Amino acid sequence: MTGTNVDGFDHDSHLRRAFDLAREAAARGDEPFGSVLVRDDTVVMTDSNRVVTEDDIRRHPELHLAYRACRELDADERAETVMYTSTEPCPMCAGGMARAGFDRVVYSVGSDEIAEFTDNEPSVRSAEILAGVTDVVGPVLNDEGRQIHEEFDW
Ligand SMILES: [Zn+2]
């Protein structure tokens, strides 16, 4: 399908799928982050944080989905793809996503907010890294997204 209108996607539903994945990660012993990739308003890939259980600093869901998308989708397909992610991508992930060239990323909780939850310094915003490549939209469903981090033992 060409000329996909990503504005018509069911944003809330896809973002809540990312929330479910974030909660699954926390239940498994990882940090609570989840992401999905959507084409034609259909979820085509999902992932959640596995840094602890895989002992792999690269296993943020956004970077892993960018990696998988570059292997499994061509550039035109990636350009019609939207990532929904429970939290704004960190600079490592945004760097990988810049290579993937998604149409848009929609997040719930901003990296500035996560810095407060985790007591870290604020990082470079994803919109800065993805400028001219991928539109960054958020925060969306912010109260629901923040609830995940309020429940997590940071
Ligand atoms: Zn990341």
Side-chain angles (χ1 to χ4, degrees):
M1 180 173 166
T2 56
T4 297
N5 177 13
V6 302
D7 290 327
F9 287 6
D10 187 350
H11 306 297
D12 289 6
S13 165
H14 301 315
L15 202 46
R16 286 182 175 128
R17 183 79 188 278
F19 293 166
D20 290 343
L21 288 155
R23 288 199 161 90
E24 285 175 28
R28 189 172 59 228
D30 286 298
E31 292 179 344
F33 301 104
S35 313
V36 302
L37 291 185
V38 175
R39 286 189 70 218
D40 298 335
D41 205 23
T42 301
V43 174
V44 293
M45 289 183 204
T46 69
D47 197 40
S48 57
N49 188 292
R50 292 182 180 274
V51 169
V52 172
T53 52
E54 296 286 333
D55 192 18
D56 184 344
I57 60 166
R58 302 168 299 177
R59 286 308 304 273
H60 290 191
E62 300 96 327
L63 181 63
H64 197 68
L65 288 176
Y67 157 78
R68 282 189 57 198
C70 286
R71 290 171 65 110
E72 298 173 30
L73 302 173
D74 66 30
D76 290 342
E77 292 169 332
R78 297 197 301 272
E80 295 179 342
T81 298
V82 177
M83 178 184 286
Y84 295 85
T85 187
S86 61
T87 300
E88 182 180 349
C90 75
M92 173 181 75
C93 293
M97 290 167 64
R99 301 302 180 108
F102 300 126
D103 180 87
R104 181 182 298 185
V105 55
V106 180
Y107 69 82
S108 172
V109 179
S111 61
D112 53 338
E113 298 173 86
I114 284 300
E116 287 181 28
F117 279 113
T118 60
D119 206 20
N120 283 317
E121 292 297 314
S123 58
V124 177
R125 302 303 296 262
S126 58
E128 208 173 314
I129 297 167
L130 289 164
V133 179
T134 299
D135 292 333
V136 179
V137 177
V140 176
L141 299 180
N142 186 246
D143 288 345
E144 287 180 46
R146 288 182 63 92
Q147 186 67 35
I148 294 166
H149 296 284
E150 282 156 10
E151 292 166 3
F152 189 75
D153 184 22
W154 279 113

